[in-house]
């Protein structure tokens, strides 16, 4: 395994682990919102902050995983295809580029945040990820983190999985 592959896999694993940690922190803070307190606004901001870091770490893990697929020509998503990774990308970019979302008026009516919580998950003006979607993102990242345990066969496992997913 060359230095680029080694670095890619190391950073993929690091981002995946952080996605799991931030998901759990975000989940705990979100569940705490069920019991309103005088600090509810601050707690909501903390929850959203953890969700935004989850989006960032999960999306960056997918980007690193994509470095393993160049020969296959497989793409995780195409623009506006509604897939899980496309919606992850959308929410990640809304959170990352809050200033552009504000300028483009991509906030909810009367709202102030480009990504916000609703009872079913995270939303932005033109997309959403449910809590189940985010759990599925983690399940897939875990699958590839497991595959990375044998770096010699990781690329083949990923290509085989996505070939069968795209044909089935």
């Amino acid at each position: 395994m060359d230095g680029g592959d080694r670095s890619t896999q190391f950073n993929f694993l690091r981002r995946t682990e952080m996605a799991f940690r931030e998901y759990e922190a975000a989940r705990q803070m979100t569940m705490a919102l069920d019991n309103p307190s005088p600090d509810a606004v601050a707690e909501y901001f903390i929850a959203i902050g953890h969700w935004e870091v989850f989006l960032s770490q999960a999306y960056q893990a997918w980007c690193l995983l994509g470095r393993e697929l160049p020969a296959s020509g497989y793409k995780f998503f195409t623009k506006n295809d509604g897939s899980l990774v496309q919606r992850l990308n959308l929410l990640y970019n809304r959170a990352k580029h809050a200033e552009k979302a504000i300028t483009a008026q991509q906030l909810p009516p009367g709202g102030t945040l480009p990504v916000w919580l609703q009872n079913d998950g995270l939303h932005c003006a033109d997309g959403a990820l449910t809590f189940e979607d985010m759990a599925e993102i983690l399940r897939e990242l875990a699958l590839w983190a497991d595959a990375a345990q044998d770096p010699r066969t990781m690329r083949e496992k990923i290509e085989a999985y996505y070939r069968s997913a795209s044909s089935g």
Side-chain angles (χ1 to χ4, degrees), residues 52 94-95 97-116 118 123-127:
E52 289 177 343
R94 285 291 184 272
H97 300 290
E99 74 289 353
K100 291 179 183 175
I102 292 166
T103 301
Q105 298 180 351
Q106 294 170 325
L107 305 177
T112 56
L113 298 174
V115 175
W116 63 90
Q118 288 187 353
H123 290 256
C124 69
D126 49 356

Side-chain angles (χ1 to χ4, degrees), residues 30-53:
T30 300
M31 290 187 330
L33 295 172
D34 285 340
N35 300 313
S37 78
D39 296 325
V41 172
E43 290 168 353
Y44 182 85
F45 288 164
I46 293 168
I48 285 290
H50 284 297
W51 284 119
E52 289 177 343
V53 175

Side-chain angles (χ1 to χ4, degrees), residues 4-23:
D5 286 345
R6 183 171 180 261
S7 295
T8 297
Q9 289 180 0
F10 177 83
N11 281 283
F12 166 73
L13 291 170
R14 185 176 72 86
R15 299 286 185 186
T16 296
E17 179 182 353
M18 286 305 301
F20 272 87
R21 289 180 185 274
E22 286 301 319
Y23 175 89

Side-chain angles (χ1 to χ4, degrees), residues 6-147:
R6 183 171 180 261
S7 295
T8 297
Q9 289 180 0
F10 177 83
N11 281 283
F12 166 73
L13 291 170
R14 185 176 72 86
R15 299 286 185 186
T16 296
E17 179 182 353
M18 286 305 301
F20 272 87
R21 289 180 185 274
E22 286 301 319
Y23 175 89
E24 180 58 24
R27 184 178 164 278
Q28 292 297 326
M29 285 306 301
T30 300
M31 290 187 330
L33 295 172
D34 285 340
N35 300 313
S37 78
D39 296 325
V41 172
E43 290 168 353
Y44 182 85
F45 288 164
I46 293 168
I48 285 290
H50 284 297
W51 284 119
E52 289 177 343
V53 175
F54 161 78
L55 293 170
S56 171
Q57 296 301 304
Y59 183 69
Q60 290 176 51
W62 277 108
C63 289
L64 288 158
L65 183 60
R67 285 182 47 89
E68 295 294 319
L69 296 172
S72 72
Y74 181 84
K75 292 185 177 183
F76 290 116
F77 69 93
T78 56
K79 187 173 180 166
N80 298 322
D81 69 6
S83 67
L84 196 60
V85 179
Q86 182 267 320
R87 290 179 289 128
L88 172 62
N89 169 265
L90 175 65
L91 270 78
Y92 162 68
N93 277 299
R94 285 291 184 272
K96 179 180 175 187
H97 300 290
E99 74 289 353
K100 291 179 183 175
I102 292 166
T103 301
Q105 298 180 351
Q106 294 170 325
L107 305 177
T112 56
L113 298 174
V115 175
W116 63 90
L117 274 168
Q118 288 187 353
N119 290 338
D120 64 342
L122 291 174
H123 290 256
C124 69
D126 49 356
L129 284 171
T130 66
F131 293 120
E132 181 56 38
D133 291 335
M134 291 182 274
E136 179 60 28
I137 288 167
L138 291 176
R139 279 190 287 274
E140 288 203 33
L141 289 175
L143 176 74
W144 301 124
D146 185 58

